[in-house]
Amino acid sequence: MTPRGKFISLEGGEGAGKSTLLAGLQAHLVEQGVDLVQTREPGGTPLGEAIRAIVLDAGRRDLSAESELLLMFASRAQLVRERIEPALAAGKWVLCDRFTDASYAYQGGGRGMPMERIAELERWATNGLTPDLTLLLDLPVATGRARAAGRGEADRIEVEADAFFERVREVYRTRAAADPARFRVIDASLTPAQVLEAAIGATHHLFGAVA
Ligand code: Z5A
């Protein structure tokens, strides 16, 4: 029987360096012989990418916090069924740019949606699927925003005030502290090479578990 693959998620605030890390970590894992599927949230499927365009559209001022939360989970439900679960069942590893922790941080912390409602959606939409490893790139909000600033027009979430992103960071850190077996918190103010080295180190136990 093919052993189930491993599921790794990357989390962090705006400009924390997830995209930068993703490229290096993907290259490393493939070098190690991992059959890897890389994806992102919201998005990762045709339906999810259509949802992403809606939730990040800065011109869409009519989206309620409740609709935003449900759309994040609609994208996630589709991604889990269409890509993540089939890949893990086939023994592939999945590297996902954000997963359910982002809904707790942004919709729960940022928007103030009730955490128990998010937990209910998590159970229903993902059957409680949880990453084997979550790499949290932690960075002061001002540093992340300064890094992201030169990137052109801000999306619908990026236009939020600093206080929103402080709450996002706080929820991420609280969740990481509550589940140290799954989370590895990486100081994202280190150089990209140091961040990659820390992330690679955090994946070692996953290989051990496969062997
Ligand atoms: N969202 C949500 O609300 N609820 C949910 O459930 C989910 C998502 C799943 C899209 O996410 C938005 O959706 C996101 C949360 C919300 N909104 N916000 N804000 P995304 O992941 O696609 O977009 P993002 O969070 O805005 O990521 P980002 O800003 O693109 O950042 P990043 O990928 O973490 O950073 P980067 O592009 O790798 O780096 C940014 C810049 O910093 C770039 O110039 C790099 O060269 C530089 N950089 C990177 N690493 C370093 C280091 N180590 N040192 C110095 N400079 C660095």
Side-chain angles (χ1 to χ4, degrees):
M1 210 175 81
T2 314
R4 188 173 162 85
K6 297 293 173 187
F7 180 20
I8 304 171
S9 62
L10 296 192
E11 300 282 359
E14 193 191 0
K18 291 179 292 85
S19 309
T20 304
L21 172 60
L22 210 70
L25 190 55
Q26 177 188 24
H28 167 78
L29 292 172
V30 169
E31 233 171 65
Q32 300 306 303
V34 171
D35 191 353
L36 190 71
V37 170
Q38 189 187 313
T39 188
R40 69 172 179 180
E41 282 207 335
T45 65
L47 178 72
E49 291 296 326
I51 291 172
R52 181 184 179 92
I54 293 170
V55 295
L56 297 186
D57 178 0
R60 188 170 278 279
R61 297 257 163 237
D62 57 346
L63 202 63
S64 69
E66 289 78 5
S67 302
E68 180 185 272
L69 174 63
L70 290 167
L71 284 170
M72 294 297 178
F73 271 98
S75 172
R76 183 165 300 131
Q78 189 69 23
L79 182 64
V80 166
R81 285 158 184 80
E82 192 175 321
R83 295 197 64 199
I84 298 180
E85 272 299 349
L88 294 174
K92 297 177 185 179
W93 289 31
V94 175
L95 182 55
C96 194
D97 189 346
R98 298 193 186 279
F99 196 59
T100 311
D101 295 299
S103 293
Y104 284 99
Y106 284 82
Q107 281 66 53
R111 301 268 189 240
M113 294 285 97
M115 295 295 184
E116 63 275 12
R117 193 55 59 80
I118 299 173
E120 214 175 293
L121 286 169
E122 178 179 17
R123 280 191 296 276
W124 182 57
T126 72
N127 287 328
L129 175 69
T130 308
D132 297 290
L133 171 67
T134 297
L135 299 171
L136 173 59
L137 299 191
D138 184 54
L139 191 67
V141 169
T143 314
R145 299 204 92 175
R147 282 186 189 171
R151 250 186 342 198
E153 228 162 90
D155 66 35
R156 204 180 58 81
I157 294 173
E158 286 168 347
V159 297
E160 291 298 332
D162 284 356
F164 175 99
F165 293 101
E166 293 290 359
R167 294 194 297 275
V168 167
R169 186 183 186 203
E170 194 47 43
V171 171
Y172 270 136
R173 287 157 64 103
T174 302
R175 289 180 65 75
D179 191 357
R182 171 165 72 92
F183 277 91
R184 292 291 182 281
V185 182
I186 298 176
D187 177 357
S189 66
L190 298 172
T191 67
Q194 288 170 320
V195 170
L196 176 60
E197 193 187 332
I200 288 173
T203 63
H204 284 158
H205 71 289
L206 298 179
F207 287 96
V210 165

